[in-house]
Coordinates of all heavy atoms in Angstrom, one line a residue:
F23 N 9.1 5.6 13.9 CA 8.5 6.9 14.2 C 9.4 7.5 15.3 O 9.8 6.9 16.3 CB 7.1 6.7 14.6 CG 6.2 6.1 13.5 CD1 5.9 4.8 13.5 CD2 5.8 6.8 12.5 CE1 5.2 4.2 12.5 CE2 5.1 6.3 11.5 CZ 4.7 5.0 11.5
I24 N 9.6 8.8 15.2 CA 10.4 9.6 16.1 C 9.6 10.7 16.8 O 8.9 11.4 16.1 CB 11.6 10.2 15.5 CG1 12.4 9.1 14.6 CG2 12.5 11.0 16.4 CD1 13.1 8.1 15.5
E25 N 9.7 10.8 18.2 CA 9.1 11.9 18.8 C 9.9 13.2 18.4 O 11.1 13.3 18.6 CB 9.3 11.8 20.4 CG 8.5 10.7 20.9 CD 7.0 11.0 21.1 OE1 6.6 12.2 20.9 OE2 6.2 10.1 21.3
A26 N 9.1 14.2 17.9 CA 9.7 15.4 17.4 C 10.4 16.2 18.6 O 11.6 16.7 18.3 CB 8.7 16.4 16.9
E27 N 9.9 16.2 19.8 CA 10.6 17.0 20.8 C 11.8 16.3 21.5 O 12.8 16.9 21.8 CB 9.5 17.3 21.9 CG 8.4 18.2 21.4 CD 7.4 18.5 22.5 OE1 7.5 18.2 23.6 OE2 6.4 19.0 22.1
T28 N 11.7 15.0 21.5 CA 12.8 14.3 22.3 C 13.8 13.5 21.4 O 14.8 13.2 21.8 CB 12.2 13.3 23.3 OG1 11.5 12.2 22.6 CG2 11.3 14.1 24.3
G29 N 13.3 13.2 20.2 CA 14.1 12.3 19.3 C 14.0 10.9 19.7 O 14.7 10.0 19.0
A30 N 13.2 10.5 20.6 CA 13.0 9.1 21.0 C 12.1 8.3 20.1 O 11.2 9.0 19.4 CB 12.5 9.0 22.5
M31 N 12.3 7.1 20.1 CA 11.3 6.2 19.2 C 9.9 6.4 19.8 O 9.7 6.4 21.0 CB 11.7 4.7 19.3 CG 13.1 4.5 18.6 SD 13.0 4.6 16.8 CE 12.1 3.2 16.4
A32 N 9.0 6.5 18.9 CA 7.5 6.7 19.3 C 6.8 5.4 18.8 O 7.0 4.9 17.7 CB 6.9 7.8 18.6
Q33 N 6.0 4.9 19.8 CA 5.2 3.7 19.5 C 3.8 4.2 19.0 O 3.1 5.0 19.7 CB 5.0 2.9 20.8 CG 4.7 1.4 20.6 CD 5.8 0.6 20.0 OE1 6.9 1.0 20.0 NE2 5.4 -0.6 19.6
M34 N 3.4 3.6 17.9 CA 2.2 4.0 17.4 C 1.2 2.9 17.7 O 1.4 1.8 17.4 CB 2.2 4.2 15.8 CG 3.2 5.2 15.4 SD 2.6 6.9 15.8 CE 1.3 7.1 14.7
P35 N 0.0 3.3 18.3 CA -1.0 2.2 18.8 C -1.5 1.4 17.6 O -1.4 0.2 17.5 CB -2.0 3.0 19.5 CG -1.8 4.4 19.2 CD -0.5 4.6 18.6
S36 N -2.1 2.1 16.6 CA -2.6 1.3 15.4 C -2.9 2.4 14.3 O -3.3 3.5 14.6 CB -3.8 0.5 15.7 OG -5.0 1.3 16.1
F37 N -2.7 1.9 13.1 CA -3.1 2.8 12.0 C -3.0 2.1 10.6 O -2.6 0.9 10.5 CB -2.1 4.0 11.8 CG -0.6 3.5 11.5 CD1 -0.1 3.5 10.2 CD2 0.3 3.1 12.6 CE1 1.1 3.1 10.0 CE2 1.5 2.7 12.3 CZ 1.9 2.7 11.0
H38 N -3.8 2.6 9.7 CA -3.9 2.1 8.3 C -3.0 2.9 7.4 O -2.8 4.2 7.6 CB -5.3 2.1 7.8 CG -6.3 1.2 8.5 ND1 -6.9 1.6 9.6 CD2 -6.5 -0.1 8.3 CE1 -7.7 0.6 10.0 NE2 -7.4 -0.5 9.2
F39 N -2.4 2.3 6.4 CA -1.5 3.0 5.5 C -1.8 2.5 4.1 O -1.8 1.2 3.9 CB 0.0 2.7 5.8 CG 1.0 3.3 5.0 CD1 1.3 4.7 5.3 CD2 1.6 2.7 3.8 CE1 2.3 5.4 4.5 CE2 2.4 3.4 3.0 CZ 2.8 4.7 3.3
T40 N -2.1 3.4 3.2 CA -2.5 3.0 1.8 C -1.5 3.4 0.8 O -1.0 4.6 0.9 CB -3.9 3.6 1.5 OG1 -4.9 3.1 2.5 CG2 -4.4 3.2 0.1
V41 N -1.2 2.6 -0.2 CA -0.3 3.0 -1.3 C -1.3 3.0 -2.5 O -2.0 2.0 -2.8 CB 0.8 2.0 -1.5 CG1 1.6 2.4 -2.8 CG2 1.7 2.0 -0.2
F42 N -1.3 4.1 -3.2 CA -2.2 4.2 -4.4 C -1.4 4.2 -5.7 O -0.2 4.3 -5.7 CB -2.9 5.6 -4.4 CG -3.8 5.8 -3.2 CD1 -3.5 6.6 -2.1 CD2 -5.1 5.3 -3.2 CE1 -4.3 6.8 -1.0 CE2 -6.0 5.4 -2.1 CZ -5.6 6.2 -1.0
D43 N -2.1 4.0 -6.8 CA -1.5 4.1 -8.1 C -0.4 3.1 -8.4 O 0.6 3.5 -9.0 CB -1.1 5.5 -8.4 CG -0.9 5.8 -9.9 OD1 -1.7 5.4 -10.7 OD2 0.1 6.6 -10.2
I44 N -0.6 1.9 -8.1 CA 0.5 0.9 -8.3 C 0.1 0.3 -9.8 O -0.9 -0.4 -9.9 CB 0.4 -0.3 -7.3 CG1 0.7 0.3 -6.0 CG2 1.5 -1.3 -7.7 CD1 0.5 -0.7 -4.8
D45 N 0.7 0.8 -10.8 CA 0.4 0.4 -12.2 C 1.7 0.3 -13.0 O 2.8 0.6 -12.5 CB -0.6 1.3 -12.8 CG -0.1 2.8 -12.8 OD1 1.0 3.1 -12.7 OD2 -1.0 3.7 -13.0
A46 N 1.5 0.0 -14.3 CA 2.7 -0.1 -15.2 C 2.8 1.1 -16.0 O 1.8 1.8 -16.3 CB 2.6 -1.3 -16.1
G47 N 4.0 1.5 -16.3 CA 4.2 2.7 -17.1 C 4.2 2.5 -18.5 O 4.0 1.3 -19.0
K48 N 4.4 3.6 -19.4 CA 4.4 3.5 -20.8 C 5.4 2.5 -21.3 O 5.3 1.8 -22.3 CB 4.6 4.8 -21.4 CG 3.5 5.8 -21.2 CD 3.8 7.1 -21.8 CE 2.6 8.1 -21.5 NZ 2.8 9.4 -22.1
S49 N 6.6 2.4 -20.6 CA 7.7 1.5 -21.0 C 7.4 0.0 -20.6 O 8.3 -0.7 -20.7 CB 9.0 2.0 -20.5 OG 9.0 1.9 -19.1
R50 N 6.2 -0.2 -20.0 CA 5.9 -1.5 -19.5 C 6.6 -1.9 -18.3 O 6.6 -3.0 -17.7 CB 6.1 -2.6 -20.6 CG 5.3 -2.5 -21.8 CD 3.9 -2.9 -21.6 NE 3.1 -2.8 -22.7 CZ 1.8 -2.8 -22.8 NH1 1.2 -2.8 -21.7 NH2 1.2 -2.7 -23.9
A51 N 7.3 -0.9 -17.6 CA 7.9 -1.2 -16.3 C 6.8 -1.3 -15.3 O 6.0 -0.5 -15.2 CB 8.9 0.1 -15.9
L52 N 6.9 -2.4 -14.5 CA 5.9 -2.6 -13.5 C 6.2 -2.0 -12.3 O 7.3 -2.3 -11.7 CB 5.7 -4.1 -13.4 CG 5.2 -4.9 -14.6 CD1 5.1 -6.4 -14.3 CD2 3.9 -4.5 -15.1
E53 N 5.4 -1.2 -11.6 CA 5.6 -0.7 -10.3 C 5.3 -1.8 -9.3 O 4.4 -2.7 -9.5 CB 4.7 0.5 -10.0 CG 5.0 1.7 -10.9 CD 4.0 2.9 -10.6 OE1 3.2 2.7 -9.9 OE2 4.4 3.8 -11.2
S54 N 6.1 -1.8 -8.3 CA 6.0 -2.9 -7.2 C 6.3 -2.2 -5.9 O 7.2 -1.3 -5.7 CB 7.1 -3.9 -7.5 OG 7.0 -4.9 -6.6
V55 N 5.5 -2.6 -4.8 CA 5.7 -2.1 -3.5 C 5.8 -3.2 -2.6 O 4.9 -4.2 -2.6 CB 4.5 -1.2 -3.1 CG1 4.7 -0.7 -1.7 CG2 4.4 0.1 -4.0
T56 N 6.8 -3.3 -1.7 CA 6.9 -4.3 -0.7 C 6.8 -3.7 0.7 O 7.3 -2.6 1.0 CB 8.3 -5.0 -0.7 OG1 8.5 -5.6 -2.0 CG2 8.4 -6.1 0.4
L57 N 5.8 -4.2 1.5 CA 5.6 -3.7 2.8 C 5.9 -4.7 3.8 O 5.6 -5.9 3.6 CB 4.2 -3.2 2.9 CG 3.8 -2.0 2.1 CD1 2.4 -2.1 1.7 CD2 4.1 -0.7 2.8
S58 N 6.3 -4.3 5.0 CA 6.6 -5.4 6.0 C 6.1 -5.0 7.4 O 5.7 -3.9 7.6 CB 8.1 -5.5 6.1 OG 8.7 -4.4 6.7
D59 N 6.0 -6.0 8.2 CA 5.6 -5.8 9.6 C 4.2 -5.4 9.8 O 3.8 -4.9 10.9 CB 6.5 -4.8 10.4 CG 8.0 -5.3 10.3 OD1 8.2 -6.5 10.4 OD2 8.8 -4.4 10.0
F60 N 3.3 -5.7 8.9 CA 1.9 -5.4 9.0 C 1.1 -6.5 9.6 O 1.6 -7.7 9.6 CB 1.3 -4.9 7.7 CG 1.3 -5.8 6.6 CD1 0.4 -6.8 6.4 CD2 2.3 -5.7 5.7 CE1 0.5 -7.8 5.4 CE2 2.5 -6.6 4.6 CZ 1.6 -7.6 4.4
R61 N -0.2 -6.2 10.1 CA -1.0 -7.3 10.7 C -1.8 -7.9 9.6 O -2.1 -9.2 9.6 CB -1.9 -6.7 11.8 CG -1.1 -6.3 12.9 CD -0.6 -7.6 13.7 NE 0.2 -7.2 14.8 CZ -0.1 -7.4 16.1 NH1 -1.3 -7.9 16.4 NH2 0.8 -7.0 17.0
E62 N -2.3 -7.1 8.6 CA -3.2 -7.6 7.6 C -3.2 -6.6 6.5 O -2.8 -5.4 6.6 CB -4.6 -8.0 8.0 CG -5.4 -6.9 8.8 CD -6.7 -7.5 9.4 OE1 -7.4 -8.2 8.6 OE2 -7.0 -7.1 10.5
Y63 N -3.7 -7.0 5.3 CA -3.7 -6.1 4.1 C -5.1 -6.3 3.4 O -5.8 -7.3 3.6 CB -2.7 -6.2 3.1 CG -2.7 -7.5 2.3 CD1 -3.5 -7.5 1.2 CD2 -2.0 -8.6 2.7 CE1 -3.5 -8.7 0.4 CE2 -2.1 -9.8 2.0 CZ -2.8 -9.9 0.8 OH -2.8 -11.0 0.0
W64 N -5.6 -5.2 2.7 CA -6.8 -5.3 2.0 C -6.5 -4.8 0.6 O -5.9 -3.8 0.3 CB -7.9 -4.4 2.6 CG -8.3 -4.8 3.9 CD1 -9.2 -5.8 4.3 CD2 -7.8 -4.3 5.2 NE1 -9.4 -5.9 5.6 CE2 -8.5 -5.0 6.2 CE3 -6.8 -3.4 5.5 CZ2 -8.2 -4.9 7.6 CZ3 -6.6 -3.2 6.9 CH2 -7.3 -3.9 7.9
I65 N -7.1 -5.5 -0.4 CA -7.2 -5.1 -1.8 C -8.6 -5.5 -2.3 O -9.3 -6.2 -1.6 CB -6.1 -5.9 -2.7 CG1 -6.3 -7.4 -2.6 CG2 -4.7 -5.5 -2.4 CD1 -5.4 -8.2 -3.5
T66 N -9.0 -4.9 -3.4 CA -10.4 -5.2 -3.8 C -10.5 -6.6 -4.4 O -9.5 -7.2 -4.7 CB -10.8 -4.1 -4.9 OG1 -9.9 -4.3 -6.1 CG2 -10.7 -2.7 -4.4
N67 N -11.7 -7.0 -4.6 CA -12.0 -8.3 -5.1 C -11.6 -8.4 -6.6 O -11.4 -9.4 -7.2 CB -13.5 -8.7 -5.0 CG -13.8 -9.1 -3.6 OD1 -13.0 -9.4 -2.8 ND2 -15.1 -8.9 -3.2
T68 N -11.5 -7.2 -7.2 CA -11.2 -7.0 -8.6 C -9.8 -6.4 -8.9 O -9.5 -5.8 -9.8 CB -12.2 -6.2 -9.4 OG1 -12.4 -4.9 -8.7 CG2 -13.6 -6.9 -9.4
S69 N -8.9 -6.5 -7.8 CA -7.7 -5.9 -7.8 C -6.8 -6.3 -9.0 O -6.9 -7.4 -9.4 CB -6.9 -6.3 -6.5 OG -5.6 -5.8 -6.5
E70 N -6.0 -5.3 -9.5 CA -5.1 -5.5 -10.5 C -3.7 -5.8 -10.1 O -2.8 -5.9 -10.8 CB -5.1 -4.3 -11.5 CG -6.4 -3.9 -12.1 CD -6.3 -2.7 -12.9 OE1 -5.2 -2.0 -13.0 OE2 -7.4 -2.3 -13.5
L71 N -3.6 -6.0 -8.7 CA -2.3 -6.3 -8.2 C -2.0 -7.8 -8.0 O -2.9 -8.6 -7.5 CB -2.2 -5.6 -6.8 CG -2.5 -4.1 -6.8 CD1 -2.4 -3.5 -5.3 CD2 -1.5 -3.4 -7.7
K72 N -0.8 -8.1 -8.3 CA -0.3 -9.5 -8.1 C 0.3 -9.5 -6.7 O 1.2 -8.6 -6.4 CB 0.8 -9.9 -9.1 CG 1.4 -11.3 -8.8 CD 2.5 -11.5 -9.8 CE 3.3 -12.7 -9.4 NZ 4.5 -12.9 -10.3
V73 N -0.1 -10.4 -5.8 CA 0.4 -10.4 -4.4 C 1.3 -11.6 -4.2 O 0.9 -12.7 -4.4 CB -0.8 -10.4 -3.4 CG1 -0.3 -10.4 -2.0 CG2 -1.8 -9.2 -3.7
E74 N 2.5 -11.3 -3.7 CA 3.4 -12.3 -3.3 C 3.7 -12.2 -1.8 O 4.1 -11.0 -1.4 CB 4.7 -12.3 -4.1 CG 4.4 -12.5 -5.5 CD 5.7 -12.3 -6.4 OE1 6.1 -11.1 -6.7 OE2 6.3 -13.4 -6.7
G75 N 3.6 -13.2 -1.0 CA 3.7 -13.1 0.5 C 2.3 -13.1 1.1 O 1.3 -13.3 0.3
S76 N 2.1 -12.9 2.4 CA 0.9 -12.8 3.0 C 0.9 -12.0 4.3 O 1.9 -11.6 4.7 CB 0.5 -14.3 3.3 OG 1.3 -14.8 4.3
D77 N -0.4 -11.9 4.8 CA -0.5 -11.2 6.0 C -0.1 -12.1 7.2 O 0.1 -11.6 8.3 CB -1.9 -10.5 6.3 CG -3.0 -11.5 6.1 OD1 -2.8 -12.7 5.8 OD2 -4.1 -11.0 6.2
T78 N 0.0 -13.4 7.0 CA 0.4 -14.3 8.1 C 1.8 -14.0 8.5 O 2.2 -14.2 9.7 CB 0.1 -15.8 7.8 OG1 1.0 -16.1 6.6 CG2 -1.3 -16.1 7.5
D79 N 2.8 -13.6 7.5 CA 4.1 -13.4 8.0 C 4.4 -11.8 8.0 O 5.5 -11.4 8.2 CB 5.1 -14.1 7.1 CG 5.1 -13.7 5.6 OD1 4.3 -12.8 5.3 OD2 5.8 -14.3 4.9
G80 N 3.4 -11.0 7.7 CA 3.5 -9.6 7.8 C 4.4 -9.0 6.8 O 4.9 -7.9 6.9
M81 N 4.6 -9.7 5.6 CA 5.4 -9.1 4.5 C 4.8 -9.6 3.2 O 4.5 -10.7 3.0 CB 6.8 -9.4 4.7 CG 7.7 -8.8 3.6 SD 9.4 -9.2 4.0 CE 10.3 -8.2 2.8
A82 N 4.6 -8.6 2.3 CA 4.1 -8.9 1.0 C 4.5 -7.9 -0.1 O 4.9 -6.8 0.3 CB 2.6 -9.0 1.0
T83 N 4.7 -8.4 -1.3 CA 5.0 -7.5 -2.4 C 3.7 -7.5 -3.3 O 3.2 -8.4 -3.6 CB 6.1 -8.1 -3.2 OG1 7.3 -8.1 -2.3 CG2 6.5 -7.2 -4.4
F84 N 3.4 -6.2 -3.7 CA 2.2 -5.9 -4.5 C 2.7 -5.3 -5.8 O 3.3 -4.3 -5.8 CB 1.3 -4.9 -3.7 CG 0.9 -5.4 -2.4 CD1 1.7 -5.1 -1.2 CD2 -0.2 -6.2 -2.2 CE1 1.3 -5.5 0.0 CE2 -0.6 -6.6 -1.0 CZ 0.2 -6.3 0.2
T85 N 2.5 -6.0 -6.9 CA 3.0 -5.7 -8.2 C 1.9 -5.4 -9.2 O 0.9 -6.1 -9.3 CB 3.9 -6.8 -8.7 OG1 5.0 -7.0 -7.8 CG2 4.6 -6.4 -10.1
A86 N 2.1 -4.4 -9.9 CA 1.1 -3.9 -11.0 C 1.0 -5.0 -12.1 O 2.0 -5.7 -12.4 CB 1.5 -2.6 -11.6
T87 N -0.2 -5.2 -12.7 CA -0.5 -6.1 -13.8 C -1.0 -5.4 -14.9 O -1.1 -6.0 -16.0 CB -1.4 -7.3 -13.3 OG1 -2.7 -6.7 -13.0 CG2 -0.8 -8.0 -12.2
K88 N -1.4 -4.1 -14.7 CA -2.0 -3.4 -15.8 C -1.3 -2.0 -16.0 O -0.8 -1.4 -15.0 CB -3.5 -3.1 -15.5 CG -4.4 -4.3 -15.3 CD -4.8 -4.9 -16.6 CE -5.5 -6.2 -16.5 NZ -6.9 -6.2 -16.5
R89 N -1.4 -1.5 -17.2 CA -0.8 -0.2 -17.6 C -1.8 0.9 -17.1 O -3.0 0.8 -17.2 CB -0.6 -0.1 -19.1 CG 0.1 1.1 -19.5 CD 0.6 1.1 -21.0 NE 1.2 2.2 -21.3 CZ 0.9 3.1 -22.4 NH1 -0.2 2.7 -23.0 NH2 1.5 4.2 -22.6
G90 N -1.1 2.0 -16.6 CA -1.9 3.1 -16.2 C -1.6 4.3 -17.0 O -0.6 4.4 -17.8
E91 N -2.4 5.3 -16.9 CA -2.2 6.6 -17.7 C -2.2 7.8 -16.7 O -2.8 7.5 -15.6 CB -3.4 6.8 -18.7 CG -3.5 5.8 -19.7 CD -2.4 5.8 -20.8 OE1 -1.8 6.8 -21.0 OE2 -2.1 4.7 -21.3
G92 N -1.6 8.8 -17.0 CA -1.6 10.0 -16.1 C -2.9 10.4 -15.7 O -3.2 10.9 -14.6
E93 N -4.0 10.3 -16.7 CA -5.3 10.7 -16.4 C -6.0 9.9 -15.3 O -7.0 10.3 -14.7 CB -6.1 10.7 -17.7 CG -5.6 11.5 -18.7 CD -4.6 10.8 -19.6 OE1 -4.8 9.6 -19.9 OE2 -3.5 11.4 -19.9
D94 N -5.5 8.6 -15.0 CA -6.2 7.8 -14.0 C -5.5 7.9 -12.7 O -5.9 7.2 -11.8 CB -6.3 6.4 -14.5 CG -4.9 5.7 -14.7 OD1 -3.9 6.2 -14.2 OD2 -4.9 4.7 -15.4
N95 N -4.6 8.9 -12.4 CA -4.0 9.0 -11.2 C -5.0 9.6 -10.1 O -5.7 10.5 -10.5 CB -2.7 9.9 -11.3 CG -1.6 9.3 -12.0 OD1 -1.6 8.1 -12.2 ND2 -0.6 10.1 -12.3
P96 N -5.0 9.1 -8.9 CA -5.9 9.6 -7.9 C -5.6 11.1 -7.6 O -4.4 11.5 -7.5 CB -5.7 8.7 -6.7 CG -4.8 7.7 -7.1 CD -4.2 8.0 -8.4
V97 N -6.7 11.8 -7.3 CA -6.5 13.2 -6.9 C -7.0 13.3 -5.4 O -6.4 14.0 -4.6 CB -7.3 14.1 -7.7 CG1 -7.2 15.6 -7.2 CG2 -6.7 14.1 -9.2
D98 N -8.1 12.7 -5.1 CA -8.7 12.7 -3.8 C -8.9 11.3 -3.2 O -9.6 10.5 -3.8 CB -10.0 13.5 -3.8 CG -10.7 13.7 -2.5 OD1 -10.4 13.0 -1.5 OD2 -11.7 14.5 -2.5
P99 N -8.3 10.9 -2.1 CA -8.4 9.5 -1.7 C -9.9 9.1 -1.2 O -10.2 8.0 -1.0 CB -7.5 9.4 -0.5 CG -7.2 10.8 -0.1 CD -7.4 11.7 -1.3
A100 N -10.7 10.2 -1.1 CA -12.1 9.9 -0.7 C -13.0 9.8 -1.9 O -14.2 9.4 -1.7 CB -12.6 11.1 0.3
E101 N -12.5 10.0 -3.1 CA -13.2 9.9 -4.3 C -12.4 9.1 -5.3 O -12.0 9.7 -6.3 CB -13.6 11.3 -4.8 CG -14.5 12.1 -3.8 CD -14.9 13.5 -4.4 OE1 -14.8 13.7 -5.6 OE2 -15.3 14.3 -3.6
L102 N -12.3 7.9 -5.2 CA -11.6 7.0 -6.1 C -12.6 6.3 -7.1 O -13.6 5.8 -6.6 CB -10.8 6.0 -5.2 CG -9.7 6.6 -4.3 CD1 -9.1 5.5 -3.4 CD2 -8.7 7.3 -5.1
T103 N -12.1 6.1 -8.2 CA -12.8 5.3 -9.2 C -12.5 3.8 -8.9 O -11.6 3.4 -8.1 CB -12.4 5.6 -10.6 OG1 -11.0 5.1 -10.8 CG2 -12.5 7.1 -11.0
Q104 N -13.3 2.9 -9.5 CA -13.0 1.5 -9.4 C -11.6 1.1 -9.8 O -10.9 0.3 -9.1 CB -14.1 0.6 -10.0 CG -13.9 -0.9 -9.7 CD -14.1 -1.1 -8.2 OE1 -15.1 -0.7 -7.6 NE2 -13.2 -1.8 -7.5
V105 N -11.1 1.6 -10.9 CA -9.8 1.3 -11.3 C -8.8 1.8 -10.3 O -7.8 1.1 -10.0 CB -9.6 2.0 -12.7 CG1 -8.1 2.0 -13.1 CG2 -10.4 1.3 -13.8
Q106 N -9.0 3.0 -9.8 CA -8.0 3.5 -8.8 C -8.0 2.6 -7.5 O -7.0 2.4 -6.9 CB -8.4 5.0 -8.4 CG -8.1 5.9 -9.5 CD -8.8 7.3 -9.4 OE1 -9.6 7.5 -8.7 NE2 -8.1 8.3 -10.0
L107 N -9.2 2.1 -7.1 CA -9.3 1.3 -6.0 C -8.5 -0.1 -6.3 O -7.9 -0.7 -5.4 CB -10.8 1.0 -5.6 CG -11.5 2.1 -5.0 CD1 -13.0 1.8 -5.0 CD2 -11.0 2.4 -3.5
D108 N -8.7 -0.6 -7.5 CA -8.1 -1.8 -8.0 C -6.6 -1.7 -8.1 O -5.9 -2.7 -8.1 CB -8.6 -2.3 -9.3 CG -10.1 -2.7 -9.2 OD1 -10.6 -2.9 -8.0 OD2 -10.7 -2.7 -10.2
R109 N -6.0 -0.5 -8.0 CA -4.5 -0.3 -8.0 C -4.0 0.2 -6.7 O -2.9 0.8 -6.7 CB -4.2 0.7 -9.1 CG -4.6 0.2 -10.5 CD -4.3 1.1 -11.6 NE -4.8 0.5 -12.8 CZ -4.8 1.2 -14.0 NH1 -4.5 2.5 -14.1 NH2 -5.2 0.5 -15.1
A110 N -4.7 -0.1 -5.6 CA -4.3 0.4 -4.3 C -4.3 -0.8 -3.3 O -5.0 -1.8 -3.5 CB -5.3 1.4 -3.8
V111 N -3.5 -0.7 -2.3 CA -3.4 -1.7 -1.2 C -3.4 -0.9 0.1 O -2.8 0.1 0.2 CB -2.2 -2.5 -1.3 CG1 -0.9 -1.8 -1.3 CG2 -2.3 -3.6 -0.2
T112 N -4.1 -1.4 1.1 CA -4.1 -0.8 2.4 C -3.6 -1.8 3.5 O -4.1 -3.0 3.3 CB -5.6 -0.3 2.8 OG1 -6.0 0.7 1.9 CG2 -5.6 0.2 4.3
V113 N -2.7 -1.4 4.2 CA -2.2 -2.4 5.4 C -2.5 -1.8 6.7 O -2.7 -0.6 6.9 CB -0.7 -2.6 5.2 CG1 -0.4 -3.3 3.9 CG2 0.1 -1.2 5.2
F114 N -2.7 -2.7 7.6 CA -3.0 -2.3 9.0 C -1.7 -2.6 9.9 O -1.2 -3.8 9.9 CB -4.1 -3.1 9.5 CG -4.5 -2.9 11.0 CD1 -4.9 -1.7 11.4 CD2 -4.2 -3.9 11.9 CE1 -5.1 -1.5 12.8 CE2 -4.5 -3.7 13.2 CZ -5.0 -2.5 13.7
Y115 N -1.3 -1.6 10.6 CA -0.2 -1.8 11.6 C -0.8 -1.6 13.0 O -1.7 -0.8 13.2 CB 0.9 -0.8 11.4 CG 1.7 -0.9 10.1 CD1 1.3 -0.3 9.0 CD2 2.7 -1.9 10.0 CE1 2.0 -0.4 7.8 CE2 3.4 -2.0 8.9 CZ 3.0 -1.3 7.7 OH 3.7 -1.5 6.5
N116 N -0.3 -2.4 14.0 CA -0.7 -2.3 15.4 C 0.5 -2.3 16.3 O 1.3 -3.2 16.2 CB -1.7 -3.5 15.6 CG -2.3 -3.4 17.0 OD1 -2.7 -2.3 17.4 ND2 -2.3 -4.5 17.7
D117 N 0.6 -1.3 17.1 CA 1.5 -1.2 18.2 C 3.0 -1.4 17.6 O 3.7 -2.4 17.9 CB 1.2 -2.3 19.3 CG 2.1 -2.0 20.6 OD1 2.3 -0.8 20.8 OD2 2.5 -2.9 21.2
T118 N 3.4 -0.4 16.7 CA 4.7 -0.5 16.1 C 5.4 0.9 16.2 O 4.8 1.9 16.4 CB 4.6 -1.0 14.7 OG1 5.9 -1.3 14.1 CG2 3.9 0.1 13.8
N119 N 6.7 0.8 16.1 CA 7.5 2.1 16.1 C 8.1 2.2 14.7 O 8.9 3.2 14.5 CB 8.5 2.2 17.2 CG 9.5 1.0 17.2 OD1 9.7 0.4 16.1 ND2 10.0 0.7 18.3
S120 N 7.9 1.3 13.8 CA 8.6 1.4 12.5 C 7.9 0.4 11.5 O 7.3 -0.5 11.9 CB 10.1 1.2 12.5 OG 10.4 -0.1 12.9
F121 N 8.1 0.7 10.2 CA 7.8 -0.3 9.2 C 8.7 0.0 8.0 O 9.3 1.1 7.8 CB 6.3 -0.3 8.8 CG 5.8 0.9 8.1 CD1 5.7 1.0 6.7 CD2 5.3 2.0 8.8 CE1 5.1 2.1 6.1 CE2 4.8 3.1 8.2 CZ 4.8 3.1 6.9
V122 N 8.8 -1.0 7.1 CA 9.7 -0.8 5.9 C 8.7 -0.9 4.7 O 7.9 -1.7 4.6 CB 10.7 -1.9 5.8 CG1 11.5 -1.9 4.6 CG2 11.6 -1.9 7.1
L123 N 8.9 0.1 3.8 CA 8.3 0.2 2.5 C 9.4 0.3 1.4 O 10.3 1.1 1.5 CB 7.4 1.4 2.4 CG 6.7 1.6 1.1 CD1 5.3 2.3 1.4 CD2 7.4 2.5 0.2
S124 N 9.4 -0.6 0.5 CA 10.4 -0.6 -0.6 C 9.7 -0.5 -1.9 O 8.6 -1.2 -2.1 CB 11.2 -1.9 -0.6 OG 11.9 -2.1 0.6
V125 N 10.2 0.3 -2.8 CA 9.6 0.5 -4.2 C 10.5 0.1 -5.2 O 11.7 0.1 -5.0 CB 9.0 1.9 -4.4 CG1 7.8 2.2 -3.5 CG2 10.1 2.9 -4.2

């Protein structure tokens, strides 16, 4: 994170970051997201995501296991269906100035 006025690194006290719509496409290509340097993550009990890694080392890859359709894409993060929740992951960061997300 960068301070807009000074260009200096900015330390963020704590925040949650959510990635939505991790699913497979028509060609069966599986979407995958790798996040690092987090304290913990949350997925639903009925999650469709395969998780490799853990919150103990602060790095994990979340890979789709089910095919999605354009009609099931989320529009409002405050009004998600169960399927949309099952294709999302939320991570918690504490006292950091950067993180890595790879897709």
Side-chain angles (χ1 to χ4, degrees):
F23 299 97
I24 305 292
E25 291 282 350
E27 293 177 11
T28 65
M31 294 291 286
Q33 199 74 13
M34 299 295 288
S36 65
F37 63 96
H38 292 90
F39 184 84
T40 301
V41 179
F42 297 102
D43 196 36
I44 305 171
D45 57 18
K48 291 180 182 178
S49 66
R50 298 284 182 197
L52 299 177
E53 293 178 356
S54 181
V55 176
T56 301
L57 294 151
S58 68
D59 304 318
F60 57 83
R61 293 291 175 109
E62 53 188 317
Y63 71 86
W64 295 275
I65 55 175
T66 64
N67 290 336
T68 55
S69 177
E70 297 178 1
L71 304 179
K72 176 183 171 188
V73 181
E74 297 176 280
S76 70
D77 52 3
T78 57
D79 64 5
M81 184 172 184
T83 299
F84 304 89
T85 303
T87 62
K88 301 277 173 100
R89 184 171 180 235
E91 301 290 335
E93 302 83 47
D94 63 18
N95 290 347
V97 176
D98 183 344
E101 296 183 20
L102 298 173
T103 67
Q104 188 61 50
V105 168
Q106 292 167 337
L107 289 167
D108 291 343
R109 295 177 181 171
V111 58
T112 298
V113 292
F114 173 69
Y115 291 95
N116 188 42
D117 195 32
T118 189
N119 59 20
S120 66
F121 69 93
V122 176
L123 179 146
S124 302
V125 292

